[in-house]
Amino acid sequence: MIRIDSVTKRYPDGTTAVDRLSLEIPDRSITVLVGPSGCGKTTTLRMINRMVEPTEGTITLDGVDITRQPVNTLRRSMGYVIQNAGLFQHRTILDNIATVPRLLGWSKDRARGRARELMERVGLDASLARRYPYQLSGGQQQRVGVARALAADPPVLLMDEPFSAVDPIVRKGLQDELLRIQAELGKTIVFVTHDIDEAIKIGTMVAVMRTGGHLAQYAPPAELLSDPADDFVEDFLGTDRGIRRLSFFPSAALELQTQPVVAVDATEQQIAARRAFGAPYLLVTDLAGKPLGWSPADELTAGPVDPARLLPYGRPFVHGRESLRAALDGTVLSPTGWAVGVDGAGRVTGVVSQQAVAEAIRTAHAEGHTAEKVAG
Ligand code: ADP
């Protein structure tokens, strides 16, 4: 574990970049430092690998003061990824990734073998190996940066705004990839960003910092959203805090109803039986069980259905995998006020009303509240 203990950094010109910061960074998880520009995030990150030395306080790694070991040994245990990847422009992708293993004395073949393995791990096609960085997109370069940082298999990864320079869609892909890599490799990651949504998405723990290098709050994302420590944190979180918090509540708790679901080839009797259930709308599915749209219950008859005349079903949520936020979104997107639950293959597993989602939200809030209290 990395422990930052009462650390202050004053630069020679008198700027206090970090002010008595204490943080316990848990192993094998992603800790995000987030806050407005100039609040001391990068300085904090760089003190962890001693690119910047603290003015006061200590940083320990597994209980040992990081100043007690040679700086090169320390840095070898910490991969470092920066914005725009910082690749060596005159080296191929493969040799960029192989840089640290080569420095560690690995043979060229072994280092390149390792680099190929990492290209696959970070989702880079093997055909890119011989290219140079300028021949890659921003997102691909960023993946190379991550692969290079992982090359010597360091237990710690320090990432400084690694995805800030790429467009939102590529960025989402990189975030998902990082979460996957983290789950597979169990690295301890310290991640700097100014984007609170990114922090909430990828952080196991999130440290919100404010100008002057002060820690405003250190908590898991769900807790930041439910209990911001003060007005600064609340402002920084932005709008829709309540709705965004719902992404931490699984949809598994929702009981889906199958009665209002009817296949497109249903007989008059089957439709009558569905109608008897009393729901105002029936969801019509195709023969594979995928949703086509809603019909007012009393208007549906057996025989050919014109999908264009059905009401839209919004975006289905994957029951159990997605959150109550996705379920709520589904109810809001359909004019019927009902959301459609599907399995991983997109087949309807049941439907749920806005009212039932609201009920589940209330229950989740009540339980979440209790859990937080129990946790202290
Ligand atoms: P962030 O990463 O949150 O944007 P930084 O850690 O880069 O913040 O900077 C924190 C503060 O320290 C800022 O006011 C910045 O101008 C100042 N600072 C950063 N590096 C230096 C330096 N080498 N010399 C003087 N001031 C610095």
Side-chain angles (χ1 to χ4, degrees), residues 11-13 15-17 35-44 192:
Y11 284 108
D13 68 356
T15 308
T16 302
S37 179
C39 70
K41 306 179 294 291
T42 295
T43 300
T44 302
V192 163

Side-chain angles (χ1 to χ4, degrees), residues 271-282:
I271 293 173
R274 298 306 199 205
R275 202 181 284 133
F277 172 67
Y281 298 95
L282 296 177

Side-chain angles (χ1 to χ4, degrees), residues 51-115:
M51 287 168 73
V52 172
E53 298 287 355
T55 316
E56 287 161 32
T58 50
I59 299 177
T60 56
L61 177 63
D62 295 331
V64 182
D65 189 328
I66 57 169
T67 59
R68 294 270 171 84
Q69 57 176 310
V71 75
N72 285 341
T73 314
L74 178 78
R75 289 194 191 146
R76 248 169 243 155
S77 69
M78 297 181 174
Y80 187 53
V81 187
I82 55 172
Q83 194 175 339
N84 295 321
L87 302 178
F88 303 116
Q89 295 301 324
H90 58 287
R91 286 192 199 162
T92 63
I93 298 313
L94 207 61
D95 287 341
N96 260 283
I97 300 173
T99 302
V100 179
R102 290 288 286 156
L103 285 175
L104 294 175
W106 294 26
S107 73
K108 209 166 204 172
D109 279 355
R110 187 171 162 225
R112 286 185 169 171
R114 169 80 179 145

Side-chain angles (χ1 to χ4, degrees), residues 264 284 292-296 299-312:
V264 70
V284 182
L292 291 174
W294 292 95
S295 167
E299 286 177 21
L300 191 66
T301 52
V305 175
D306 177 7
R309 301 197 55 181
L310 296 172
L311 297 167

